[in-house]
Amino acid sequence: MRLAAQRAEVSDWVGYEVGYGVGYEVGTMSESDADGPQIIIEDLVKRFGERTVLDHINIKIDRGETLVVIGGSGAGKSTLVRHLIALERPTSGRILVDGVDMAALGDFELSRVRRRFGMVFQKYALFDSMTVYDNVAFPLREQTKMSEREIKDRVMVKLDELGVAHAAARMPAEISGGMAKRVGIARALVLEPEILIYDEPTSGLDPVTSRTVDELIEEMRERFGVTSVVITHDMASAFDIADRVAMLVRGKIAVEGPPENVMASDHEDVQRFVHSSAIDPARIAQRSARKSPAQVRALRKERLAKQGAPKV
Amino acid sequence: MAENETKTPSVTRQSLEKLFEPAVRAIEELGTLAQLGFSAFVWQFRRPYRFGVLVQQLEFVGVQSIFLVCLVGLFTGMVFAVQTAYGFRRFGAENLVGGVVALSLSREMAPVLTAIMVAARAGSGMAAQLGNMRATEQIDALETMAVSPVQYLIVPRLIAGTLMVPVLALLFFGVGLGGAYLVGVVMLSLDQGVFMDRVTALLDKRDLVQGLVKAVIFGYAVTLISCRHGYYAKGGAEGVGLATTRAVVWSVVGVFFLDYIITSFMTDMG
Ligand SMILES: Nc1ncnc2c1ncn2[C@@H]1O[C@H](COP(=O)(O)OP(=O)(O)OP(=O)(O)O)[C@@H](O)[C@H]1O
Ligand SMILES: [Mg+2]
């Protein structure tokens, strides 16, 4: 109930009914607070030319749930989440958001559905012709009727939460990668949308800032009942924020379930992935076998003596 | 024998496909341009109207090209005056210099050279900008924020190009004529009155109209082609470089191609 009240409050300054973003009658399926999954991925296949990047993916994401997607580089994680917001069109299969097939929408309806999403891009995707402040203010100016003063308050609060308020007047080219990432997060969160997609929100951040971002993701969920999909390579954060984890291997979902279950899965790829990021005793034991810098230098000298000095 | 028969058609088909490949690609390319142009046409009537972005583009295409257009216009007029004077002196018709230069400036030189200047300066800039926005997912980001990239990025550029090239072409014409005056009256000491008289006698309203029609169409074409190469750029930073080059090359080719078409339609040879 608290949630509904907050939505109404959001609706006030968003200027349209949050949760009824489709804008036309689609029956009870668009009812945002109904039970059941909010996002359904049905038998999704995506090919780029000959390459199959996503291979018959089936997954359901409930309202208020955080799904963490893990998987190696090139497994198709970004491609998967780009489908949720129709930045990619499926080769076959369907994406249903509150029962509405994203691929079947014309660009006008699509833009209405997209208002309910926020997305953090892997490569930040900040508008490089605008200051940090204008980047974060952009969604508010585009989609709400808020005054510049209200906008300023909200933007500065968000920038402050992410620790980048001091950079508000700078251009994206003048800030570090980690800062750009946080500005990207601020921009995605500023409208407090219903569904948030984070593509590696903590990569490139120091551990302390990473935890702050994890907390923010949790807070969005608890305060606004946000449905989130988070891609991460950071296993610690995966287990902190996930209701469910899905591991993508070569375009297929290898394992899916609560973090504990995924951790315990005996799937070979999963074991390798999870254990190469956790600090387990075996790895600590391995450290003693590591060569010291002095040993490495000695080896190099030995090798050079054998080969003769390299010609320049 | 039977084997041969099955092979031959497939070989011919392959070579036929090779032969027609450029034609197929050209048609595809025109299709892409038409699609982008149509989509921009539809979006320009939808709210919100983005005056801020439009003003920025008018400034980028127009104001920032003024110096370049004046420079090239001046030299073009001067060169043309010298060449015409040289040629016409043989049969004692030097007095026609002003009129002939005015004619060729208004019908050809002003619209064509202005469009080429705009392609080189603004068109390449647009392709680089849009290509970079594509490569760094800024265009995707616009879409996720329910802002149409066509409306936000393409429409203001197309309007600015279509409005500004004719204005710049008029400027080119004026400055070019000034250059011709400088050469004819000041340097070659032709009679000032006769010079101006020939200009008004030879130059018809239809010549100016033809020049302006060309400038409008070139302005639209150059911006559409430049935007297309940036907007659909592929393959990261390298792709952006490629897009910029293609934008300029195809804009220039497009200008000359359209120039022939328009000229043959609008010139009454009878
Ligand atoms: N537009 C495209 N055209 C062709 N191939 C593509 C395209 N987009 C992605 N791919 C390919 O799809 C595969 C999956 O890419 P994707 O970006 O989804 O991987 P990822 O799991 O997000 O990897 P990372 O962890 O490195 O971000 C890659 O092999 C990539 O080359
Ligand atoms: Mg990725």
Side-chain angles (χ1 to χ4, degrees), chain A residues 46-49 51-54 69-82 88 122 199-200 231-233 248, chain B residues 137 234:
Chain A
K46 179 66 178 180
R47 291 196 193 90
F48 288 113
R51 284 203 55 191
T52 303
V53 173
L54 297 175
V69 180
I70 60 175
S73 201
K77 306 180 297 294
S78 294
T79 308
L80 176 64
V81 299
R82 285 167 61 85
E88 305 280 356
Q122 192 169 355
D199 195 347
E200 303 196 12
I231 296 178
T232 189
H233 288 296
L248 217 53
Chain B
E137 296 181 315
K234 284 198 183 90

Side-chain angles (χ1 to χ4, degrees), chain A residues 180-239:
Chain A
K181 188 119 247 178
R182 284 180 278 164
V183 175
I185 296 171
R187 187 177 65 179
L189 300 190
V190 75
L191 270 176
E192 293 171 357
E194 263 183 88
I195 304 165
L196 271 160
I197 299 170
Y198 305 85
D199 195 347
E200 303 196 12
T202 57
S203 71
L205 297 183
D206 63 79
V208 179
T209 318
S210 296
R211 296 292 83 78
T212 316
V213 169
D214 287 347
E215 279 161 23
L216 246 131
I217 295 175
E218 275 295 273
E219 195 194 318
M220 289 305 291
R221 192 176 82 100
E222 284 177 9
R223 264 177 61 197
F224 298 101
V226 166
T227 306
S228 332
V229 179
V230 187
I231 296 178
T232 189
H233 288 296
D234 181 345
M235 296 310 290
S237 89
F239 288 100

Side-chain angles (χ1 to χ4, degrees), chain B residues 67-110:
Chain B
F67 180 69
L68 191 66
V69 164
C70 286
L71 207 63
V72 176
L74 182 72
F75 287 124
T76 309
M78 288 170 72
V79 167
F80 238 64
V82 173
Q83 296 284 30
T84 334
Y86 172 79
F88 281 24
R89 175 164 289 166
R90 298 175 187 189
F91 35 93
E94 288 147 290
N95 280 331
L96 286 173
V97 165
V100 171
V101 171
L103 214 57
S104 42
L105 275 178
S106 65
R107 294 172 71 99
E108 283 299 327
M109 306 304 264

Side-chain angles (χ1 to χ4, degrees), chain A:
Chain A
M1 269 309 95
R2 204 176 135 238
L3 244 170
Q6 254 153 357
R7 277 251 168 70
E9 184 190 307
V10 173
S11 301
D12 266 357
W13 39 257
V14 170
Y16 65 90
E17 201 97 3
V18 171
Y20 297 89
V22 189
Y24 53 80
E25 293 298 330
V26 274
T28 50
M29 293 303 280
S30 76
E31 182 60 49
S32 204
D33 292 307
D35 280 332
Q38 182 163 37
I39 301 175
I40 302 174
I41 302 175
E42 240 177 44
D43 216 24
L44 173 64
V45 175
K46 179 66 178 180
R47 291 196 193 90
F48 288 113
E50 298 284 285
R51 284 203 55 191
T52 303
V53 173
L54 297 175
D55 195 1
H56 298 281
I57 304 271
N58 281 290
I59 207 165
K60 287 182 179 145
I61 307 162
D62 283 334
R63 277 187 189 78
E65 185 184 31
T66 301
L67 174 76
V68 169
V69 180
I70 60 175
S73 201
K77 306 180 297 294
S78 294
T79 308
L80 176 64
V81 299
R82 285 167 61 85
H83 276 88
L84 300 180
I85 191 165
L87 287 174
E88 305 280 356
R89 300 282 163 139
T91 304
S92 69
R94 293 199 302 172
I95 316 287
L96 302 174
V97 175
D98 285 325
V100 176
D101 184 353
M102 294 292 275
L105 296 177
D107 57 343
F108 204 68
E109 289 99 33
L110 186 59
S111 86
R112 302 200 66 140
V113 179
R114 276 174 170 158
R115 284 169 203 262
R116 300 164 58 192
F117 283 84
M119 175 149 183
V120 177
F121 286 86
Q122 192 169 355
K123 290 178 278 177
Y124 341 125
L126 299 182
F127 302 124
D128 48 22
S129 58
M130 298 177 198
T131 62
V132 162
Y133 176 86
D134 288 331
N135 262 281
V136 180
F138 188 83
L140 295 173
R141 288 180 181 146
E142 284 298 325
Q143 300 184 21
T144 73
K145 293 171 182 146
M146 289 167 78
S147 70
E148 277 301 314
R149 273 199 42 201
E150 292 169 293
I151 288 176
K152 180 161 189 207
D153 291 344
R154 282 193 69 74
V155 171
M156 291 319 288
V157 166
K158 271 286 170 282
L159 286 176
D160 200 42
E161 275 176 4
L162 285 144
V164 282
H166 62 282
R170 285 197 238 164
M171 300 302 280
E174 299 164 354
I175 59 178
S176 75
M179 287 161 82
K181 188 119 247 178
R182 284 180 278 164
V183 175
I185 296 171
R187 187 177 65 179
L189 300 190
V190 75
L191 270 176
E192 293 171 357
E194 263 183 88
I195 304 165
L196 271 160
I197 299 170
Y198 305 85
D199 195 347
E200 303 196 12
T202 57
S203 71
L205 297 183
D206 63 79
V208 179
T209 318
S210 296
R211 296 292 83 78
T212 316
V213 169
D214 287 347
E215 279 161 23
L216 246 131
I217 295 175
E218 275 295 273
E219 195 194 318
M220 289 305 291
R221 192 176 82 100
E222 284 177 9
R223 264 177 61 197
F224 298 101
V226 166
T227 306
S228 332
V229 179
V230 187
I231 296 178
T232 189
H233 288 296
D234 181 345
M235 296 310 290
S237 89
F239 288 100
D240 274 353
I241 60 175
D243 292 303
R244 249 179 337 141
V245 174
M247 171 143 184
L248 217 53
V249 178
R250 287 179 295 277
K252 287 194 169 78
I253 292 183
V255 197
E256 183 210 317
E260 314 79 79
N261 297 11
V262 171
M263 187 78 150
S265 151
D266 50 11
H267 191 290
E268 188 193 350
D269 290 300
V270 180
Q271 281 301 311
R272 228 180 328 171
F273 194 83
V274 170
H275 286 168
S276 39
S277 36
I279 304 179
D280 65 353
R283 275 174 66 201
I284 296 169
Q286 270 172 16
R287 275 188 65 82
S288 58
R290 246 179 124 247
K291 294 183 176 64
S292 71
Q295 281 173 312
V296 178
R297 279 195 296 272
L299 275 175
R300 178 183 154 81
K301 247 182 223 155
E302 208 174 288
R303 190 170 54 88
L304 286 180
K306 232 184 271 166
Q307 293 176 343
K311 290 189 180 63
V312 182

